[in-house]
Amino acid sequence: MLISHSESHAGKKRALRPAVVLENVTKRFEDVVAVDNLSFWVEQGELFGLLGPNGAGKTTTIRMICGLLEPTAGEVWVFNFRQPRDRMAASKFIGYMPQHFSLYEDLTVYENMMFFASVYGVPYSVRGERIEKLIDRFLLTEFRDKLAGQLSGGTKRRLALATCLVHNPPLVILDEPTAGIDPHLRYLFWRFFEELRDEGVTLIVTTHYMDEAEFCEQLALMRSGHLIALGTPEEIKRSALRGELIRVTVRTSRLPTRAIANLRCVRSFELVSAGGGQATYVLLVEDAGRDLIEVLRGLEAQGVRVLSIEPVYISLEDAFLALTGGLAR
Ligand SMILES: Nc1ncnc2c1ncn2[C@@H]1O[C@H](COP(=O)(O)OP(=O)(O)OP(=O)(O)O)[C@@H](O)[C@H]1O
Ligand SMILES: [Mg+2]
């Protein structure tokens, strides 16, 4: 397992208590271990992504954070509340959008929001104004008096997001908020999440989409109940491949294998293509930005003519594949 979370946080002064702490949390359902000895924390004001394939244990983890499931072992803390013991008190501080959220289909958009405001005990005097602001913010104005049951899937999803914010929670937990919605709305949702983060809200978001995970400051990658990586997207990519990649194309009549092997900064390399007097290699180095010049100089010094050289962009998907053994290392 690859953990860079604690390292990346170690240098920072932690003035605030983390919004969420999980310590050695396990959840069993009879013979299924849905979550296995999971530990991580989420800093206040962070946009934190929880990633993993179906059955990884994301929803189970989230339900334990919300106090809806009791861990079989370990501790879950939300601010100063121990979950699920302090679930009632903690719920005022949590906005939760379940994976299969339900709205009242025979109530209008406005009535749904009013209903959730009363459930969360939002004082009557501020309800109206707060709801109007959320309706405006989540582009629901034209649907204000429509029945929720008659809305499109994407509009329902915006309403679900708005309702879970009606009590101004400092921690917002969204379970697959973008599953099955179009790319335009997915993009818009991530802008909403970033806006909320910029206002100081802590967000935990689960997703299957690796491209979305790039928007998160910290990520936890889960598989089969286990944590397989924790850190910033950059840290996860670098650690998954144990370095960064450089692509270099050289002019050659003979493959310059030895010249490349002579380069001290190169940990390993692969020939990608060859022909027409050219050859392209991908090199694994520690830091592509820093080592690019060394590769260039080192090859030229050995009489190898470099035609092009560039760092290779690694996607989170590549990193995930490498971590799960699907990409040659
Ligand atoms: N109430 C339950 N009873 C028995 N097994 C359960 C229960 N809830 C979850 N599981 C099992 O726990 C494992 C993790 O499920 P979970 O729903 O947490 O995964 P997930 O990462 O949210 O998956 P998905 O991406 O499909 O939503 C699965 O094997 C699932 O079948
Ligand atoms: Mg789930």
Side-chain angles (χ1 to χ4, degrees):
M1 182 176 46
L2 165 183
I3 301 283
S4 39
H5 191 260
S6 49
E7 288 159 24
S8 69
H9 282 64
K12 289 188 203 164
K13 230 184 184 166
R14 286 175 49 201
L16 298 170
R17 189 187 167 86
V20 174
V21 176
L22 272 81
E23 261 178 39
N24 306 109
V25 172
T26 294
K27 180 67 192 178
R28 267 175 218 282
F29 296 105
E30 293 169 4
D31 54 346
V32 177
V33 183
V35 171
D36 194 0
N37 199 26
L38 182 63
S39 299
F40 64 78
W41 75 78
V42 180
E43 296 284 1
Q44 290 191 38
E46 197 163 75
L47 177 46
F48 186 96
L50 193 55
L51 255 88
N54 292 125
K58 305 180 297 294
T59 298
T60 305
T61 301
I62 276 185
R63 288 173 59 79
M64 288 191 285
I65 295 171
C66 292
L68 302 171
L69 278 178
E70 181 157 21
T72 313
E75 293 188 10
V76 179
W77 291 87
V78 172
F79 302 114
N80 289 315
F81 302 109
R82 171 92 189 256
Q83 296 285 53
R85 184 192 67 195
D86 304 329
R87 175 185 159 191
M88 289 308 287
S91 68
K92 291 194 171 47
F93 297 83
I94 303 174
Y96 171 45
M97 180 169 150
Q99 187 167 3
H100 305 290
F101 59 90
S102 51
L103 296 160
Y104 288 90
E105 304 236 316
D106 47 359
L107 295 183
T108 65
V109 165
Y110 186 82
E111 289 165 346
N112 261 289
M113 297 207 55
M114 266 296 182
F115 173 78
F116 283 97
S118 69
V119 169
Y120 283 114
V122 178
Y124 197 79
S125 56
V126 300
R127 274 182 210 171
E129 192 192 336
R130 195 174 292 169
I131 288 172
E132 294 301 347
K133 275 195 182 146
L134 286 168
I135 284 181
D136 181 49
R137 179 170 198 172
F138 293 106
L139 317 173
L140 293 164
T141 310
E142 63 178 296
F143 308 104
R144 189 181 179 285
D145 299 314
K146 290 231 160 67
L147 294 180
Q150 294 171 358
L151 302 174
S152 73
T155 311
K156 274 187 188 161
R157 201 67 68 92
R158 294 206 303 280
L159 174 56
L161 182 58
T163 55
C164 81
L165 297 173
V166 79
H167 55 307
N168 265 348
L171 172 64
V172 172
I173 302 180
L174 308 169
D175 197 356
E176 311 243 357
T178 57
I181 60 176
D182 69 51
H184 173 75
L185 189 56
R186 285 213 285 140
Y187 182 79
L188 190 67
F189 262 51
W190 281 93
R191 298 290 80 77
F192 287 148
F193 304 159
E194 286 173 339
E195 262 175 47
L196 287 165
R197 188 263 325 270
D198 292 345
E199 291 164 15
V201 173
T202 307
L203 289 104
I204 302 178
V205 182
T206 76
T207 180
H208 285 123
Y209 300 111
M210 295 286 170
D211 58 334
E212 293 187 342
E214 303 266 2
F215 297 127
C216 297
E217 287 152 301
Q218 291 284 332
L219 291 175
L221 257 61
M222 291 182 72
R223 196 177 60 150
S224 311
H226 297 278
L227 188 64
I228 57 170
L230 188 62
T232 66
E234 286 312 313
E235 286 167 341
I236 287 181
K237 287 179 203 175
R238 187 168 311 149
S239 329
L241 295 179
R242 299 202 211 108
E244 296 181 346
L245 301 177
I246 290 175
R247 184 185 298 112
V248 60
T249 300
V250 298
R251 173 161 294 153
T252 178
S253 47
R254 241 170 10 115
L255 289 180
T257 313
R258 171 155 308 185
I260 294 174
N262 284 340
L263 299 170
R264 265 199 326 192
C265 62
V266 174
R267 293 175 170 175
S268 65
F269 59 95
E270 237 173 75
L271 179 65
V272 180
S273 65
Q278 293 188 4
T280 299
Y281 289 85
V282 170
L283 319 177
L284 181 67
V285 295
E286 185 182 337
D287 180 331
R290 187 196 65 198
D291 296 331
L292 203 107
I293 295 292
E294 199 180 321
V295 171
L296 178 62
R297 289 205 183 123
L299 288 175
E300 299 264 344
Q302 297 179 81
V304 179
R305 175 85 200 285
V306 174
L307 296 174
S308 71
I309 182 163
E310 62 193 352
V312 178
Y313 173 77
I314 301 166
S315 69
L316 265 174
E317 192 132 24
D318 296 336
F320 191 77
L321 285 172
L323 284 166
T324 53
L327 195 76
R329 291 204 238 173

